[in-house]
Each structure stands twice: as C-alpha cells, then as structure tokens.
Amino acid sequence: MDDLLKRYRVTEGSKFKLKDHDSRDTGGLDISKDEAAQRLQQYVKRLAELQDMLYAQNRWAVLAVFQAMDAAGKDSAIEHVLSGVNPQGCDVTSFKQPSAEELDHDFLWRAARALPQRGRIGVFNRSHYEEVLVVRVHPELLDRQQLPESERTADLWNNRFDSINGFERHLAGSGTAICKFFLNVSKKEQKKRFLARLDDPLKNWKFSMADVEERKRWSAYMAAYEDMIRHTSAPDAPWYVVPADRKWFARLVVAAALIDTMEKLQPAYPELSGAAKKELENVRAALEAE
C-alpha cells in the first residue's frame, strides 16, 4: 500500500510541479471496476475497524482535508470511502461562502471551530485552503474580509501559507493526524462530467453558470493549487495529489491514505484495570443471579 501512496504523497513541496502528475494515472494498477469495488469494500471494512479503535482509545483525532475543482469527485469519494464508518465517530464539514460572523474573524477561525474531537475523524469538504485558492483567484473577495490595508501586500499569500503551516503543526503536535487530498481532475474530464450533469435531470441541481465561469479561470486555479502544495506540504501534514479522472482509482487512493494514516497511530482498545475487571465480574454475577 505504501508503495502506491508514495507516488502521490507530497511531504516536501519546494520542487512540486503539477504538470508532473497525470490525472489519468492508475499507478500501474490494471483491474476491472468490479475488482476495484471489491478492493474498496475491503478498505472500507478496515477503516471501520480502525475508526472503532480510534473512538474507544480517545487519544487521537484524524483530519482529512479535500480540495478540488468542481466535479472532481470530492462528495462521492467521501461518501464511498467513509460508507462503513460509524456516524458517531465521524464529522463532515462542508465549507461554503463565509458568513458575516466568519468574516469578522481571522481566516482560520471557522476551520478551528470545526476540528474533530479526540477519537473522531473530521472531514473538511473544502477548507481553510479556500483562502489561498478561490480568494487568490478572486482577490476582490478580500474586500469583504475587511483586512487592514497594511496587511494587503504582496506578502499576503506567503503570510497565509505560514499561518496555515503553523496551524497544522500545532494540530499535529496536539494529537490530530492530518492528511490532505487534492483530487486532480483534468479540464477535459471536468467538461465531460458537467455535460453528464446537464443530461441527467436528477443531477441538474448540481450545475450553475458560475461553474462555467470558473472554468475560464482554470490556469489561474492550477497555478494557485501548485503554489499551495509547494508551500504547505509537510511530513506531518502531507498532500496527496490524487489522480481523479477515474473515480474508482481516486477512491482507492483516498481510502489507502486514510488507512495508512490511522494505522501509524496504532489505535487499540483500552485495557481494563484490575478494579474495572472485578467490577465486570460483579456485574456478570448480578445478571446471572436474576
């Protein structure tokens, strides 16, 4: 599993180039969709086992961050990969346009409020990284944030990268394991999926003209993603640049990365003390005596 993940894991991004990552890559994995579905179910089962121990141990939290262009498959990846996880131990937060209250705080505030508790998996569907992606491509959005003019300088984006890195170092040092996924979909495949949404009445609701307008800024977004990954990849908060043109493969990579992250935490069910075991014996005796 780790050999596959090394292909997509970025822990030091200074030399990262997005053009080196093929959105149609399958890592040499030549299997049918049925075989992929079976393998994903095995991964889902293992994730459920790990999550149960994580919840019982109550020592670590796991944060999975998903970023991507529209139609890259974030929602379906989250749905399929976490389909077997107990809902009590998993929280999914979808970050939309910031509210007035959120805009009155620093840009990391709303992410900090949504962090998972110990023993839980937290999923960010979009995240604090929107502040160096969408806001960078649409700098007019900074006007709503009411930043002091002294902060709106050429150093703004590097300052935000520094803030994010410090934020994630703090989380990692406080017991939150982080894995971040950029679902790397091609412009050609996005067009194909957009057209499929238009052809399916049940999916029309997912589409808006704003999606087409954002496609016109594709190059700007790719430059922003590349710079983001260059500046915010770290051993304790790696990016996984996931080939997303084939959804079945993207889901396998996401599931494998989460399993790898959680297995390294070595979660285990708590061992009961002698007094606790004696209490259980008393409970058993009382029940059997009824």
Side-chain angles (χ1 to χ4, degrees):
M1 182 186 299
D2 197 50
D3 288 340
L4 177 69
L5 293 177
K6 283 180 181 178
R7 193 180 184 99
Y8 310 114
R9 185 192 293 123
V10 183
T11 58
E12 201 288 313
S14 62
K15 298 181 181 179
F16 175 78
K17 294 181 180 179
L18 193 53
K19 68 179 180 63
D20 294 336
H21 292 260
D22 183 1
S23 61
R24 294 186 60 79
D25 182 33
T26 59
L29 193 62
D30 185 17
I31 59 177
S32 68
K33 286 188 176 182
D34 286 342
E35 291 173 313
Q38 292 174 5
R39 183 174 296 196
L40 181 60
Q41 284 308 305
Q42 295 171 355
Y43 286 178
V44 167
K45 182 179 178 181
R46 178 57 177 156
L47 270 174
E49 295 170 350
L50 289 165
Q51 185 268 334
D52 197 51
M53 289 186 284
L54 186 84
Y55 188 81
Q57 190 179 52
N58 198 38
R59 179 171 299 166
W60 290 92
V62 174
L63 177 63
V65 174
F66 288 82
Q67 290 290 158
M69 296 295 285
D70 290 325
K74 295 190 311 301
D75 293 350
S76 62
I78 293 167
E79 177 185 356
H80 284 80
V81 170
L82 296 172
S83 60
V85 171
N86 188 332
Q88 287 186 320
C90 184
D91 300 304
V92 179
T93 303
S94 295
F95 288 89
K96 307 296 185 181
Q97 290 186 2
S99 67
E101 180 185 21
E102 289 167 343
L103 288 169
D104 276 339
H105 291 82
D106 69 89
F107 79 95
L108 289 170
W109 182 75
R110 66 175 182 162
R113 295 180 74 203
L115 290 171
Q117 301 172 26
R118 297 190 193 281
R120 303 175 76 91
I121 299 172
V123 178
F124 283 2
N125 187 346
R126 301 191 188 278
S127 67
H128 45 296
Y129 283 99
E130 293 291 280
E131 295 292 335
V132 293
L133 293 169
V134 175
V135 178
R136 190 169 189 176
V137 174
H138 294 275
E140 67 275 11
L141 294 176
L142 288 170
D143 294 338
R144 299 181 61 210
Q145 298 185 5
Q146 303 181 66
L147 295 176
E149 285 301 320
S150 60
E151 298 302 313
R152 293 185 61 169
T153 68
D155 293 329
L156 174 64
W157 309 115
N158 284 334
N159 290 340
R160 288 197 168 184
F161 290 143
D162 288 344
S163 295
I164 289 171
N165 289 333
F167 177 60
E168 292 178 351
R169 279 196 303 272
H170 166 71
L171 294 180
S174 302
T176 297
I178 306 166
C179 50
K180 303 176 294 194
F181 301 102
F182 167 50
L183 301 192
N184 182 27
V185 71
S186 66
K187 191 175 183 181
K188 180 179 178 180
E189 179 64 21
Q190 189 198 54
K191 178 181 177 179
K192 178 181 174 182
R193 293 179 187 179
F194 278 171
L195 290 172
R197 287 180 180 180
L198 293 173
D199 292 338
D200 185 349
L202 298 180
K203 294 183 179 180
N204 287 171
W205 64 272
K206 290 186 175 183
F207 199 81
S208 72
M209 280 304 297
D211 298 326
V212 176
E213 290 300 314
E214 292 302 89
R215 270 180 67 80
K216 296 177 182 178
R217 298 175 174 85
W218 187 272
S219 295
Y221 272 109
M222 293 303 102
Y225 272 110
E226 183 174 87
D227 206 36
M228 173 194 78
I229 293 169
R230 281 179 179 170
H231 285 89
T232 61
S233 296
D236 54 7
W239 277 104
Y240 291 87
V241 182
V242 182
D245 279 11
R246 294 179 172 92
K247 288 186 177 181
W248 65 266
F249 185 69
R251 293 164 187 168
L252 288 179
V253 173
V254 169
L258 284 171
I259 289 171
D260 182 67
T261 299
M262 294 176 70
E263 286 184 338
K264 288 176 179 176
L265 302 179
Q266 298 182 322
Y269 292 109
E271 291 188 14
L272 295 180
S273 65
K277 289 180 180 179
K278 180 63 176 177
E279 180 66 19
L280 291 183
E281 291 174 4
N282 294 337
V283 170
R284 177 184 291 277
L287 289 171
E288 290 176 346
E290 288 184 355

